[in-house]
């Protein structure tokens, strides 16, 4: 069965500058993201991870190439530029790094904002919408928080609420930018396991950027590693953690004087 939801063909990403010049961050990207899997994007600061994620989310235009997406029926394939904003809101959900600075709103009310693509101009939720909201809350296992006010939550609890909001949007694709930022280690582990479970149980396409290297190696189904040398454009390595360990890509990424990578155990050792 073909489970490729997002397909990139010769994609170029970067920025258009005021004088009509462009700054290309990366080019010739051809890859796919599969549903039912957790895919983690790794790379050094400044390599272009955020630019790639924003481009895939249609927050900024691509410079060239194509981004093909399977539509809501799971069959028709369309280029991202062919979707209207409303159509994209039915296909792609996005969870950003920024903490939601919200007061006087409960968890259930915030998750309900995920239904906005379906509620029309007046934003009125019907019983069916509230059923979806409650199902999303239960999927993330935060039913005990449903009536709590957002500003009283911990960082980890807020991240779960934002993921529930994305689930309430009922999109086949969810992109997350550094979802484990600001979390302590146990919460990071819990968050990554939650996302992997949601991908598998809900057959979602979940793609996220992260700096949590060792955690990604243990939890991700597929890794995208952006590797940059000097002034060259970054190369993109794609595979399972074991595949990227075997071909040396992970060692090149992480090893420094005093830092070694064990490809057999997928672990990092720091010299004492």
């Amino acid at each position: 069965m073909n489970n490729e939801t997002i397909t990139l063909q010769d994609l170029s990403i970067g920025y258009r500058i005021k004088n009509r010049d462009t700054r290309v961050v990366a080019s010739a990207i051809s890859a796919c993201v599969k549903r039912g899997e957790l895919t983690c994007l790794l790379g050094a600061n400044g390599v272009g991870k955020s630019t790639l994620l924003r481009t895939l989310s249609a927050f900024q235009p691509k410079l060239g190439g194509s981004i093909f997406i399977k539509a809501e029926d799971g069959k028709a394939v369309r280029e991202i530029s062919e979707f209207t904003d409303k159509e994209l809101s039915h296909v792609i959900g996005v969870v950003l790094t920024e903490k939601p600075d919200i007061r006087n709103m409960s968890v259930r009310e915030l998750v309900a904002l995920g239904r906005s693509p379906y509620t029309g101009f007046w934003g009125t939720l019907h019983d069916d919408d509230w059923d979806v909201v409650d199902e999303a809350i239960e999927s993330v296992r935060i039913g005990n928080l449903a009536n709590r006010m957002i500003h009283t939550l911990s960082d980890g609890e807020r991240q779960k609420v934002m993921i529930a909001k994305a689930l309430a949007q009922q999109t086949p694709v969810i992109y997350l930018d550094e979802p484990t930022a600001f979390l302590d280690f146990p919460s990071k582990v819990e968050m990554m396991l939650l996302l992997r479970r949601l991908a598998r149980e809900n057959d979602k396409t979940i793609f996220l950027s992260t700096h949590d290297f060792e955690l990604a190696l243990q939890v991700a189904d597929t890794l995208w590693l952006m590797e940059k040398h000097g002034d060259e454009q970054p190369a993109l390595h794609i595979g399972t953690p074991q595949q990227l360990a075997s071909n040396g890509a992970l060692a090149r990424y992480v090893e420094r004087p005093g830092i070694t990578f064990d490809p057999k155990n997928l672990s990092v050792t720091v010299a004492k």
Side-chain angles (χ1 to χ4, degrees):
M1 181 181 295
N2 187 343
N3 61 347
E4 298 174 358
T5 305
I6 308 293
T7 302
L8 315 182
Q9 291 185 0
D10 201 28
L11 178 67
S12 293
I13 60 173
Y15 303 90
R16 289 187 170 87
I17 307 172
K18 291 182 179 179
N19 61 5
R20 297 184 180 180
D21 289 337
T22 57
R23 177 179 176 268
V24 179
V25 172
S27 61
I29 301 173
S30 294
C32 65
V33 191
K34 298 179 180 180
R35 60 182 168 83
E37 292 189 358
L38 176 64
T39 302
C40 292
L41 174 64
L42 299 171
N45 286 333
V47 76
K49 299 190 305 300
S50 294
T51 303
L52 175 57
L53 199 59
R54 286 196 298 269
T55 305
L56 296 182
S57 306
F59 289 171
Q60 70 182 65
K62 53 187 170 62
L63 298 183
S66 301
I67 303 172
F68 292 102
I69 307 174
K70 277 190 178 178
E72 288 178 272
D73 59 10
K75 298 178 182 179
V77 178
R78 298 164 61 190
E79 215 283 327
I80 195 169
S81 60
E82 298 174 0
F83 287 82
T84 65
D85 289 343
K86 183 174 181 58
E87 288 173 332
L88 276 179
S89 71
H90 289 213
V91 177
I92 297 174
V94 181
V95 180
L96 300 175
T97 308
E98 289 80 7
K99 303 177 186 179
D101 185 17
I102 299 171
R103 291 183 176 272
N104 301 318
M105 180 178 286
S106 72
V107 165
R108 192 166 184 253
E109 290 169 337
L110 179 55
V111 174
L113 294 180
R115 299 302 298 161
S116 59
Y118 308 92
T119 56
F121 178 79
W122 299 107
T124 302
L125 272 68
H126 302 289
D127 289 344
D128 289 348
D129 294 302
W130 284 112
D131 288 343
V132 172
V133 169
D134 292 334
E135 181 180 343
I137 288 172
E138 290 306 316
S139 292
V140 185
R141 299 174 180 171
I142 54 171
N144 61 313
L145 303 178
N147 296 316
R148 287 267 302 276
M149 303 305 286
I150 295 298
H151 69 275
T152 69
L153 303 180
S154 69
D155 290 339
E157 289 169 339
R158 291 188 191 197
Q159 281 290 61
K160 289 180 181 179
V161 172
M162 298 310 293
I163 291 170
K165 175 176 173 288
L167 287 177
Q169 197 174 332
Q170 290 188 308
T171 59
V173 179
I174 300 177
Y175 294 133
L176 302 100
D177 182 20
E178 294 285 348
T180 56
F182 314 119
L183 304 185
D184 58 32
F185 185 73
S187 298
K188 289 176 186 286
V189 175
E190 185 181 13
M191 181 63 62
M192 293 290 272
L193 292 175
L194 166 65
L195 292 170
R196 186 175 68 178
R197 176 176 63 82
L198 292 174
R200 294 177 178 178
E201 292 182 0
N202 296 16
D203 206 28
K204 298 284 188 183
T205 302
I206 298 186
F207 182 91
L208 64 90
S209 65
T210 183
H211 284 295
D212 289 313
F213 177 75
E214 288 187 276
L215 185 53
L217 300 192
Q218 296 179 63
V219 177
D221 296 297
T222 301
L223 296 178
W224 287 27
L225 174 62
M226 296 183 76
E227 181 185 29
K228 186 174 176 64
H229 297 287
D231 294 330
E232 298 178 0
Q233 288 186 15
L236 182 62
H237 306 281
I238 297 177
T240 65
Q242 292 77 13
Q243 288 170 336
L244 296 194
S246 297
N247 67 20
L250 293 177
R252 289 195 304 272
Y253 169 63
V254 75
E255 288 190 337
R256 301 289 188 276
I259 303 174
T260 57
F261 176 70
D262 181 349
K264 182 177 180 180
N265 297 311
L266 299 178
S267 61
V268 176
T269 300
V270 179
K272 296 182 179 179

